[in-house]
Amino acid sequence: MMACNVEGLNLPCQDKPITSRLPIICGTSSCHMAVNQDPLFVPGVWGPYYSAMHPGLWSNEGGQSITGKLIDHVLHTHPAFKELENRASKSGESVYESLNNMLPSIAALRRSSSPATLTKDLHVWPDYHGNRSPLADPTLTGMISGLTLSTSIEDLAIKYLATVQALTHGTKHIIDAMESSGHKFSTLFACGGLSKNSLFLQVHADITGLPIVLPKETECVLVGSAILGAAAAGHYTNVQEAMAKMSKAGSVVWPNARLQDYYARKHKVFLKMLDHQLEYRQIMQDA
């Protein structure tokens, strides 16, 4: 996936080194897999490891301990989840597709400029299972600001959106840490179960400001195994050639520039929530 041919897609990574690409493997948890010519040490991020992911390059791996798991937790613990299941079943959709389709209608009813702004007063810090990157702090916990008494299915949809946004702000937090240590990314590449969720992908593009490339072949792990096998069998000169020849780009998700200011404000709140949690811990330290 990382070295796939992107000609004709007008992507900022075209004709640039492979180091400008950041693959994200997103499912129950998430991994952010970067490579560089130099061994870069990023606080809270694993590595650098030589030739671990791409021959001759140093790799770093950031990660989020719970991604899809957190989304499911938020859904399953909400009073309206059974109603959501019934609604999705009747329409022949997954619960995620049902929520994704519901959000524009809620935004229209509330006269919101975009579904994204439904969370203007609802903010989430997503570390329900600690923070792997970039803070490497397993003691951090989840936080929500902006709760009301509502238990409606619309409330569930907005909490779902706020959770997806929070996870994406976590990805931006990781990207910022990597870039502060010398990495420079222009394009994201996504695979894994959550890469099939259109809202998850669009929010990631909007918050990071980077286009996201999806592979033409959705089973990237199988393709990766085939690439290694083909190179080992001598069908290609090396792994790099096999990567370029055997993987292709599929669709591209582009960021919505109109949401840039909104998400910049949301990211400030996101980081403030971390500051506040650490302040609360300090206040209660000797209690």
Side-chain angles (χ1 to χ4, degrees):
M1 175 180 70
M2 183 181 224
C4 67
N5 189 331
V6 297
E7 288 183 14
L9 297 176
N10 296 316
L11 289 163
C13 67
Q14 185 173 327
D15 300 324
K16 297 288 194 304
I18 195 172
T19 54
S20 67
R21 306 180 179 193
L22 178 65
I24 302 177
I25 307 168
C26 43
T28 304
S29 57
S30 291
C31 297
H32 305 73
M33 313 294 292
V35 294
N36 202 275
Q37 295 94 338
D38 301 316
L40 302 178
F41 290 83
V42 185
V45 172
W46 295 353
Y49 306 116
Y50 185 67
S51 290
M53 188 166 68
H54 190 288
L57 296 178
W58 295 85
S59 61
N60 290 105
E61 181 183 337
Q64 292 168 294
S65 299
I66 51 170
T67 309
K69 176 63 177 176
L70 178 58
I71 294 171
D72 284 347
H73 173 78
V74 171
L75 267 57
H76 291 190
T77 57
H78 195 281
F81 181 65
K82 191 64 180 177
E83 180 184 351
L84 172 64
E85 281 189 311
N86 293 336
R87 178 174 180 151
S89 178
K90 288 179 181 178
S91 60
E93 301 172 313
S94 70
V95 291
Y96 314 104
E97 290 170 328
S98 185
L99 290 168
N100 292 352
N101 292 333
M102 201 183 304
L103 287 166
S105 299
I106 299 172
L109 285 172
R110 299 191 179 190
R111 297 180 180 175
S112 297
S113 57
S114 162
T117 61
L118 290 169
T119 60
K120 180 179 179 180
D121 298 313
L122 182 65
H123 311 287
V124 176
W125 179 265
D127 290 336
Y128 286 47
H129 195 57
N131 183 284
R132 177 179 157 190
S133 299
L135 304 172
D137 186 347
T139 68
L140 287 174
T141 58
M143 302 169 69
I144 302 178
S145 172
L147 293 174
T148 70
L149 291 174
S150 177
T151 58
S152 68
I153 194 169
E154 290 79 12
D155 178 75
L156 172 54
I158 295 170
K159 283 191 173 73
Y160 159 72
L161 172 62
T163 302
V164 171
Q165 290 175 341
L167 289 165
T168 310
H169 284 292
T171 285
K172 176 172 170 52
H173 201 192
I174 292 168
I175 291 173
D176 289 347
M178 286 182 164
E179 292 197 326
S180 293
S181 296
H183 286 285
K184 184 60 180 175
F185 308 117
S186 65
T187 310
L188 304 180
F189 288 71
C191 67
L194 276 172
S195 68
K196 299 173 184 177
N197 185 320
S198 59
L199 177 76
F200 185 86
L201 293 172
Q202 189 61 60
V203 171
H204 268 69
D206 294 342
I207 289 177
T208 63
L210 302 176
I212 303 177
V213 179
L214 298 174
K216 187 172 184 180
E217 171 54 64
T218 57
E219 297 296 339
C220 287
V221 174
L222 297 180
V223 174
S225 298
I227 287 171
L228 293 175
H235 291 292
Y236 297 99
T237 306
N238 50 41
V239 174
Q240 293 94 317
E241 183 186 2
M243 291 167 68
K245 295 286 182 65
M246 294 179 65
S247 58
K248 294 183 179 180
S251 58
V252 179
V253 180
W254 296 93
N256 183 348
R258 290 177 296 176
L259 293 173
Q260 184 177 3
D261 178 68
Y262 175 74
Y263 278 129
R265 293 168 185 263
K266 286 281 287 186
H267 196 68
K268 288 181 181 179
V269 175
F270 179 80
L271 297 177
K272 278 287 186 183
M273 293 183 83
L274 170 62
D275 293 340
H276 291 167
Q277 182 169 161
L278 297 178
E279 285 180 30
Y280 304 157
R281 180 186 296 179
Q282 186 65 33
I283 291 169
M284 300 303 296
Q285 185 174 11
D286 299 322

